[in-house]
Amino acid sequence: MINDDKDLRDRRFLCEAIELARANVANGGRPFGAVLVRDGAVLATGVNEIARSHDPTAHAELLAVRAASQKLGSPDLSGCAVYASGQPCPMCMAAMRLAGVREVVYAFSNDDGASFGLSTAALQAELSLPHAEQSMIIRHQPMLAPGSEPEPYAAWKKRQPPAAGSDA
């Protein structure tokens, strides 16, 4: 019974994400939609807006995360689930993890999208390689003298409220 309820809920929100993707295609966008849910209620939705905005980060999942965070007035999306029409890319997965999203459910896999040029599997595979083996040049250029601390980090730390239960 519990799994049946979860399956019905998952199907409901996936159908909503797919409908957003269909509508986005009809409006000249890419076929991706996302629905961000907390406690069974939709907090935010998003569609891929790369074509409209010329912003390569304007993915459906990221726009839903941004909208939910603005609505809640917090970057903490703990307890939320994201339902996506397509398998989220590594950028979206990282953003959802940073936001505390607890669950991601998607309808169409990278394999489903590959023949349409809509798979990020190769990117995901490359990102798992050491930096020196990736196609992008990635290097660390130390800016600190040995034993010193990064000033912006130290300044940020000083501005943080004391942790709960601390004596500070």
Side-chain angles (χ1 to χ4, degrees):
M1 178 76 173
I2 292 175
N3 281 343
D4 289 343
D5 289 345
K6 176 139 179 50
D7 287 345
L8 285 173
R9 185 175 59 246
D10 288 352
R11 285 187 166 286
R12 174 183 151 214
F13 293 126
L14 284 175
C15 284
E16 193 171 333
I18 292 167
E19 189 51 43
L20 287 167
R22 284 187 185 121
N24 202 43
V25 169
N27 289 319
R30 293 169 59 92
F32 299 104
V35 178
L36 195 144
V37 175
R38 179 184 272 170
D39 299 326
V42 175
L43 280 180
T45 63
V47 295
N48 185 295
E49 294 185 2
I50 291 174
R52 184 184 67 72
S53 68
H54 309 291
D55 176 355
T57 69
H59 290 203
E61 299 88 346
L62 284 184
L63 295 178
V65 164
R66 290 174 187 159
S69 295
Q70 291 297 310
K71 184 175 184 176
L72 295 174
S74 172
D76 183 5
L77 299 180
S78 298
C80 292
V82 171
Y83 294 86
S85 60
Q87 184 170 343
C89 74
M91 173 183 66
C92 292
M93 291 297 288
M96 290 184 288
R97 287 216 173 186
L98 288 169
V101 169
R102 72 167 160 72
E103 181 178 19
V104 176
V105 182
Y106 57 91
F108 303 113
S109 70
N110 274 324
D111 288 343
D112 296 327
S115 64
F116 302 96
L118 297 171
S119 173
T120 57
L123 174 60
Q124 189 166 345
E126 183 174 341
L127 288 173
S128 67
L129 297 173
H131 288 168
E133 295 177 31
Q134 293 186 32
S135 61
M136 176 189 284
I137 298 168
I138 304 170
R139 61 191 179 89
H140 175 223
Q141 179 62 50
M143 298 294 292
L144 302 174
S148 65
E149 59 184 20
E151 184 278 325
Y153 294 1
W156 175 83
K157 181 69 174 172
K158 285 180 184 177
R159 296 184 59 88
Q160 300 311 299
S166 71
D167 292 332

